Amino acid sequence: MSTLRIMAKLSCVLACLVFTRAVAGQQAYGSTSRGKAGKRASCDCMNWAGVYYDMLAGCGRAQELYFLSKFGFSAAYAATEPIAGLPHKICNDFLKNFKNDSCINVDLLPFPADAMTDKQWCYVSNDCDTLNGGDYATNTMGFQLGGWNNLASTSNLSWKICDPVADASKMLKYKTPGELLEMCLKDDISCSRIFRLAYPVVEITWGEAQYLMEGIDGAWTPGADLTTLIAGLPAPSAPFTRLVEVHANISDIVVSEQATILDSPGHGDNFHVIKGREVWKVQRLGYDTWNVISGRPYELGDMAYLGGHFSLEFTVTCVLGCAPGRLEMVDRPVLDLETM
C-alpha cells in the first residue's frame, strides 16, 4: 500500500474520531429529549459573556442579529461570516463583555414592527421546557454538523422569549435609566447600545415631543397625578394631525412610566429617552463640540471607542424632570486622552 493511501486512511480515521468527539461533547452540554417527562425546569437566563466564553453559542446564531436575519441574513452561519460594522459592535464589543443574565430586546431596530417587536430574550439550558416561542440555538459548529451522515442536529443550549411576569426582574425594559447606566459602566460596554437593547422605541423625535415634555415639567408639583396634569395642558387639534398623534402617544408613554426611546433620524446612536416626566439624553462624546479645523465634531467619541473604553463613548444625562432626590448619579471615570 502506498504512503499516500496510508496517510489518506489515517486522515479519515482521525476525522471520524474528531467528529465523534464533537458530537459527544455537544450532547454532553444539554439533554436532547425536550418534551420527555422527568426533566428539570431550568429556565434561568444565562450570563451573556459566559455563554460565548464557554463556546456554548456563536454570536448571531440565535437572535443577536435579528435586525438583519429578519431581512434574510442567515443566522445559521452568522458566526462564519465577517462580523464587521454594527454586528461587530453588537457581538464583540457589547454581548461578549456583558457579564449579566438579563433579557434583552430581540430586535435592536424594530422598523417596521413585526411579531418580535417589544419581545426580549436570553439563552437558557436545553433542559428548559418553557421557551415561550423560543427554540434551540445552533451548535458551535453550525447546522452543517447535523447534515453529516444524516445525524440529528444537536445543540449546546436553547433560547427563550422572556415572560413579562415570571422574568420581570431580569428584563432590561423594566430597569431605570440609572440602573442601565450602572451596568454600562460596570462592564465597560456601550451606554447607547444598552438603551437600544433595553427599551421600546417610537418613531417620534425629541423635537416633536419637547413642547409637551416642557409643559409637563413646568406644570409639575410634588405629588401631582400625571394623567390629571396632562389633561390640564392645552392639546393640539385638527388640522394638525401629526401634532395630535404625537401629543396622544407621548401622553400615553408618560402615564405608563415605561421608559421609551424617542428615535433619531436614521435610527442613530444619539437619542432621548422618556420615563414618566423624566427626559434622558444619550449622546456621543464630543458631539456638541465642533472642530472648526476639520469641520467635524471633535473625535473624543472615536478616541474612547478605539481605546477600548466603550462605556465612555457616550454620555447619559437627565435633562428634564429629574428631582435632585431622585436623580441617579453614577461616578464616571475621566477620559484621559494622553494615556488611553
Side-chain angles (χ1 to χ4, degrees):
M1 185 179 294
S2 67
T3 303
L4 289 177
R5 285 189 174 183
I6 293 174
M7 291 181 65
K9 285 194 172 184
L10 286 174
S11 298
C12 290
V13 171
L14 289 174
C16 290
L17 288 174
V18 169
F19 174 74
T20 302
R21 186 172 181 178
V23 172
Q26 298 286 338
Q27 293 173 334
Y29 276 118
S31 170
T32 57
S33 57
R34 178 177 290 128
K36 294 182 180 180
K39 288 187 312 186
R40 64 184 179 88
S42 181
C43 293
D44 293 341
C45 290
M46 301 176 71
N47 182 288
W48 290 96
V51 161
Y52 305 115
Y53 181 82
D54 292 332
M55 300 183 67
L56 298 179
C59 187
R61 288 192 174 135
Q63 300 301 305
E64 295 95 337
L65 304 180
Y66 180 80
F67 66 97
L68 292 178
S69 61
K70 68 179 179 180
F71 294 117
F73 180 81
S74 176
Y77 297 101
T80 67
E81 300 289 337
I83 298 295
L86 186 54
H88 176 93
K89 292 182 177 181
I90 297 296
C91 287
N92 295 338
D93 300 344
F94 188 90
L95 290 175
K96 290 185 179 180
N97 292 306
F98 192 31
K99 305 174 189 66
N100 197 286
D101 58 358
S102 296
C103 304
I104 65 173
N105 285 340
V106 172
D107 198 348
L108 175 74
L109 300 171
F111 312 104
D114 63 13
M116 287 297 190
T117 299
D118 291 340
K119 286 184 170 57
Q120 299 202 321
W121 73 288
C122 68
Y123 280 111
V124 293
S125 164
N126 269 348
D127 290 331
C128 177
D129 56 0
T130 309
L131 299 180
N132 307 318
D135 205 342
Y136 283 122
T138 61
N139 50 65
T140 55
M141 302 178 79
F143 282 133
Q144 184 181 12
L145 176 61
W148 292 353
N149 302 320
N150 294 319
L151 293 176
S153 183
T154 55
S155 173
N156 292 331
L157 72 172
S158 302
W159 62 273
K160 74 171 183 178
I161 298 295
C162 297
D163 183 271
V165 177
D167 300 310
S169 64
K170 291 296 182 182
M171 297 179 71
L172 286 186
K173 70 183 297 182
Y174 299 132
K175 304 295 183 183
T176 66
E179 288 173 324
L180 293 186
L181 182 55
E182 285 191 35
M183 292 181 185
C184 141
L185 296 175
K186 176 178 176 291
D187 290 343
D188 198 9
I189 52 180
S190 170
C191 296
S192 175
R193 202 79 60 224
I194 198 171
F195 277 79
R196 282 279 187 189
L197 288 170
Y199 296 149
V201 57
V202 291
E203 292 187 88
I204 297 174
T205 66
W206 168 239
E208 293 176 306
Q210 184 173 358
Y211 180 78
L212 175 57
M213 295 307 300
E214 288 179 345
I216 293 173
D217 186 63
W220 172 260
T221 56
D225 176 71
L226 286 173
T227 302
T228 304
L229 189 153
I230 292 173
L233 295 175
S237 57
F240 305 105
T241 54
R242 176 60 178 174
L243 292 180
V244 172
E245 178 186 353
V246 168
H247 184 93
N249 289 343
I250 295 299
S251 297
D252 289 342
I253 290 170
V254 169
V255 171
S256 74
E257 298 203 44
Q258 167 60 60
T260 302
I261 293 174
L262 302 180
D263 204 21
S264 53
H267 315 309
D269 292 329
N270 300 303
F271 48 81
H272 287 74
V273 176
I274 288 178
K275 178 172 172 52
R277 68 186 185 94
E278 301 174 359
V279 179
W280 294 74
K281 185 177 184 180
V282 179
Q283 182 173 272
R284 199 163 193 258
L285 194 63
Y287 185 80
D288 279 344
T289 309
W290 197 260
N291 187 333
V292 295
I293 298 176
S294 68
R296 297 183 302 168
Y298 279 109
E299 291 83 0
L300 293 178
D302 292 343
M303 292 299 292
Y305 177 79
L306 293 173
H309 298 288
F310 304 127
S311 63
L312 301 183
E313 185 183 1
F314 291 87
T315 60
V316 180
T317 53
C318 186
V319 296
L320 202 66
C322 291
R326 293 182 59 207
L327 185 59
E328 295 145 297
M329 301 298 294
V330 179
D331 291 332
R332 298 176 62 89
V334 177
L335 181 62
D336 183 359
L337 297 180
E338 299 295 328
T339 59
M340 65 182 301

